[in-house]
Amino acid sequence: MELNFGLQNILFLAAFGVAIYFFSKNFGKIWRNINLGKDVNRSDRPKERWALMARVALGQSKMVKRRAVAGFFHVLIYVGFILINIEVAEILIDGILGTHRVFMPLLGPVYDAAISFFEILALLVIVACIVFLFRRNVSVVPRFKDLKGWAKKDGNYILFIELVLMFALLLLGATEANIEGNHVDGWIVSAQLAPLFSGLDQGTLIMMERAAWWFHILGIFAFLNYLPYSKHFHVIMAFPNVWHSKLEPSGQFSNMESVKKEVELMMDPNADPFAAPAEDAAEEPSRFGAKDVMDLNRIQLMNAYSCTECGRCTASCPANQTGKKLSPRKIMMDTRDRLSEVSNVIDELGQFEDDGRTLLDDFISREELWACTTCNACTEACPVNIDPMSIIVDMRRYLVMEESAANPSLNTMMTNIENNAAPWAYAQADRANWINE
Amino acid sequence: MEEKIVVPTMAELAASDKLPEVLFWVGCAGSFDDRAKKITKAFVKILNKANVDFGVLGTEESCTGDPAKRAGNEFTFMMQAMQNIEVLNAYEVKKIVTTCPHCFNTLANEYPELGGKYEVIHHTQFINQLLKDGRLSIEGGSFKGKKITFHDPCYLGRANGIYEAPRELIQKLDAELVEMRRCKSNALCCGAGGAQMFKEPEPGKKDINIERTEEALETKPDFIAAACPFCNTMMTDGVKNSAREGDLPVLDLAEMIANAEDL
Ligand code: SF4
Ligand code: SF4
């Protein structure tokens, strides 16, 4: 093994350090933001959770379940992404130590097989990226149609970056094959490309090889730091997010402990209405339901950072598909956008102070909230087990219990339940009349 | 055909110290809505025919609180739940069968944490069990060879993973089950859930029940089968809207089984 420590390595270490520093900083910020949410217990049944994570996040079971095309190519890019990272490990070592293809002499034929395999993957990833760019921009898949501005660009940027990174990887092998004395003939794909560069002189080739190498690794560093700002953050967040999935039947809504306590007191004939507040009164929520992101729980906020903006939820939403304003994808994107806004306030002032804006009304309108049928189609469709419905319900809880601002016909329904124990205005005494009718 | 149905109430049964094996939770729609009352009666006929030892709460039953909870009113829900649990526990209820998926979901999933722990069964599962145990037997009757499409209720299917029980019943009717484009976990809502039943829909291009009915019509069915009183209403309205009223009945599976047996 030939060590060749020099200026290049110092530059590499600096780039590596900067990349890691900024990534950790942004990741830390996201972690802090998630923790602005309320605590919620989602770590019961750990065995089931690991199995679910293996199946849904690692195995992408929900991606391939419905539409085979998108599922297939997504798995391709994903496998490519993971395996090619093994090669990135080598690049890192080379960059730090000044070695050149450090694993090659160690692994021998296994190395050649592995790199050939990676090159095939790279080629397939290129195909997949082209297919995806086509689906997003040319024969636009319906669920991508209403993505505009940043969200639309974000998706394209990612695919474009992946494309160039893969080209750089192939270029690396192809130029190297023409460089004398380094015992590299190229691998399965790059060997085919090598003749294209055979006419170039050694100096140019060495420069091109170095350029491709640097481009590839700097591209990866840049990509890493692009993640926290992008929907592509799901490559990381999908795992903890799926691990924290709701395991109960999806129809089961949470029972609000605070409401339960109050109702118990109301119904208890022995309760002393003037009794001093219980000791745990301090833990009472500041408000019922959710008006802003801090009223949501941590899992809901983690959901927002895990959303891939794929729109599978919206494409299956009965309200959205019949032209209502509600879109579960928008609910998740709004939650993330508002959380980023809150994050900026905290960065600036050291803590959150009222900025005159809230998730409700400034991002999500009441009309959207009231259109939901709580049908769970969105939660079922989501490939990373996000639950947009729970946010809708929490915001309805705020509207009804804090603002008494339910949709008017719903108020009638609720008054009926309170007065005569049925959602319609029938007397409870008539409830058994059907028996003799 | 108007045979007398026998419906003992829990109060009567308790008075003679004969608490039944299972409680039939009728639900608000089943008790008050004219269309849904027919489903209730059809199911009672099946229970009578199979000699099931059951009771109803009658005037002691009250709304589970489901629509209030889905609308965001946890207070009203909690009050309903606690009252109901008190009544149910006083009668030492262990097992509940219900014809409404919304009652089913609330009783089975949301009551246990509040002290109401029961075995809760949807009527499509219950009828299946009766058939398997040989307590009831059917022949296809008027449904033999007919095309039936089944609309999955959200709160039975996706919400609780029950997809097969209703389909097995259609098979027992010797009918041909024709699936809609979106079915089972992928099924489209009828538009009634989440308290939508009690309000006008938000502005949009189309009503959800119309969209769903059109999808049902694509299968060219002779009957639309439902397993929820609210879905039933929505699909019936949808069929009316497409001027197929009269020749395309929307029936609950309990009604189909009862009809097949000429009960
Ligand atoms: S639960 Fe609500 S938001 Fe989700 S798909 Fe159904 S109607 Fe749409
Ligand atoms: S919530 Fe899930 S299904 Fe909806 S856009 Fe985000 S990742 Fe896709």
Side-chain angles (χ1 to χ4, degrees), chain A residues 324 370 374 396 418 437, chain B residues 41 70 76 155 196 206:
Chain A
K324 278 79 174 176
W370 291 118
T374 69
R396 282 184 177 183
E418 281 159 23
E437 272 169 9
Chain B
K41 287 194 171 176
R70 314 296 139 190
T76 305
Y155 275 84
Q196 296 295 332
K206 208 188 221 181

Side-chain angles (χ1 to χ4, degrees), chain A residues 409-418 420-426 431, chain B residues 27-29 32 62-68 80 195 197-198 230:
Chain A
S409 352
L410 291 184
N411 273 330
T412 314
M413 175 271 287
M414 295 185 288
T415 318
N416 282 331
I417 295 183
E418 281 159 23
N420 37 284
W424 301 285
Y426 295 109
R431 201 170 175 104
Chain B
C28 299
F32 292 118
S62 75
C63 177
T64 58
D66 162 84
Q80 290 302 117
M197 185 74 190
F198 306 98
F230 297 103

Side-chain angles (χ1 to χ4, degrees), chain A residues 98-266:
Chain A
T99 44
H100 184 75
R101 293 205 182 259
V102 64
F103 294 157
M104 192 158 71
L106 301 178
L107 298 175
V110 179
Y111 186 83
D112 289 334
I115 300 290
S116 289
F117 181 61
F118 294 157
E119 287 194 350
I120 293 174
L121 271 178
L123 202 62
L124 292 173
V125 170
I126 290 174
V127 173
C129 286
I130 293 172
V131 170
F132 278 167
L133 280 167
F134 190 79
R135 284 164 60 90
R136 274 181 186 264
N137 299 289
V138 186
S139 83
V140 187
V141 174
R143 62 190 160 89
F144 293 133
K145 266 194 191 119
D146 46 337
L147 281 183
K148 286 183 197 81
W150 164 247
K152 185 179 164 93
K153 285 190 205 138
D154 185 22
N156 285 332
Y157 288 160
I158 292 158
L159 290 168
F160 187 69
I161 298 175
E162 276 167 16
L163 262 180
V164 245
L165 286 181
M166 292 303 115
F167 272 120
L169 193 72
L170 295 178
L171 184 65
L172 191 61
T175 44
E176 249 184 293
N178 289 300
I179 296 174
E180 283 156 20
N182 66 356
H183 319 292
V184 170
D185 309 319
W187 290 271
I188 195 157
V189 181
S190 51
Q192 310 305 313
L193 299 174
L196 292 176
F197 304 97
S198 56
L200 300 175
D201 65 84
Q202 287 294 309
T204 317
L205 283 169
I206 291 176
M207 249 176 57
M208 278 181 81
E209 187 270 344
R210 280 293 88 192
W213 189 90
W214 275 98
F215 187 84
H216 186 69
I217 191 66
L218 288 181
I220 287 174
F221 288 163
F223 195 50
L224 182 70
N225 275 291
Y226 181 64
L227 288 184
Y229 298 97
S230 153
K231 67 151 190 129
H232 215 59
F233 201 39
H234 77 265
V235 295
I236 295 171
M237 295 308 288
F239 293 86
N241 194 66
V242 171
W243 198 88
H244 288 97
S245 299
K246 170 171 155 185
L247 297 181
E248 291 80 29
S250 63
Q252 177 175 339
F253 287 19
S254 61
N255 287 321
M256 290 174 70
E257 204 49 41
S258 50
V259 175
K260 183 181 161 200
K261 270 189 212 145
E262 284 199 26
V263 173
E264 264 167 354
L265 274 180
M266 260 161 54

Side-chain angles (χ1 to χ4, degrees), chain B residues 1-222:
Chain B
M1 165 162 165
E2 252 330 296
E3 229 177 289
K4 191 95 188 81
I5 51 171
V6 187
V7 189
T9 63
M10 294 300 274
E12 291 161 11
L13 292 166
S16 51
D17 220 11
K18 282 194 303 199
L19 288 176
E21 179 197 330
V22 57
L23 170 84
F24 171 26
W25 184 276
V26 183
C28 299
S31 303
F32 292 118
D33 180 84
D34 284 334
R35 177 67 190 86
K37 281 192 262 187
K38 293 189 183 149
I39 303 171
T40 308
K41 287 194 171 176
F43 184 56
V44 166
K45 284 177 190 164
I46 294 171
L47 293 174
N48 284 168
K49 164 100 180 186
N51 280 320
V52 176
D53 175 23
F54 78 101
V56 299
L57 284 171
T59 54
E60 286 183 284
E61 189 186 279
S62 75
C63 177
T64 58
D66 162 84
K69 190 176 181 84
R70 314 296 139 190
N73 193 337
E74 191 76 357
F75 274 99
T76 305
F77 163 75
M78 212 51 95
M79 292 201 290
Q80 290 302 117
M82 287 186 185
Q83 281 170 23
N84 281 323
I85 290 170
E86 222 173 88
V87 174
L88 290 166
N89 288 352
Y91 285 123
E92 294 167 28
V93 170
K94 305 253 160 2
K95 196 168 165 181
I96 303 177
V97 60
T98 175
T99 43
C100 174
H102 296 266
C103 296
F104 171 88
N105 178 67
T106 312
L107 293 167
N109 297 326
E110 288 157 2
Y111 278 25
E113 248 178 53
L114 307 172
K117 298 192 174 74
Y118 322 102
E119 182 194 350
V120 188
I121 309 165
H122 187 248
H123 72 306
T124 55
Q125 298 174 300
F126 195 82
I127 299 174
N128 251 311
Q129 199 54 50
L130 291 178
L131 289 165
K132 276 181 199 144
D133 294 348
R135 294 172 73 177
L136 187 74
S137 62
I138 51 164
E139 273 153 40
S142 48
F143 298 101
K144 198 168 175 146
K146 290 283 197 297
K147 281 167 104 177
I148 302 180
T149 190
F150 174 66
H151 165 73
D152 286 278
C154 301
Y155 275 84
L156 192 64
R158 267 191 299 275
N160 288 291
I162 301 171
Y163 301 109
E164 291 314 318
R167 290 181 167 77
E168 280 170 26
L169 288 183
I170 293 177
Q171 259 145 31
K172 298 261 166 58
L173 288 168
D174 275 342
E176 183 195 347
L177 170 66
V178 282
E179 294 286 6
M180 286 183 241
R181 192 156 49 83
R182 288 174 277 195
C183 64
K184 299 188 182 171
S185 67
N186 205 6
L188 186 77
C189 175
C190 71
Q196 296 295 332
M197 185 74 190
F198 306 98
K199 62 184 262 300
E200 285 303 314
E202 273 58 37
K205 294 190 303 247
K206 208 188 221 181
D207 284 348
I208 298 173
N209 63 326
I210 307 288
E211 169 92 0
R212 185 55 167 168
T213 308
E214 285 172 1
E215 208 168 295
L217 293 179
E218 282 171 23
T219 68
K220 306 212 175 351
D222 300 309

Side-chain angles (χ1 to χ4, degrees), chain A residues 388-427:
Chain A
M389 188 183 79
S390 69
I391 297 181
I392 298 173
V393 171
D394 279 346
M395 295 184 78
R396 282 184 177 183
R397 284 173 170 170
Y398 169 80
L399 285 176
V400 173
M401 293 191 284
E402 292 284 350
E403 283 195 1
S404 304
N407 172 296
S409 352
L410 291 184
N411 273 330
T412 314
M413 175 271 287
M414 295 185 288
T415 318
N416 282 331
I417 295 183
E418 281 159 23
N419 296 339
N420 37 284
W424 301 285
Y426 295 109

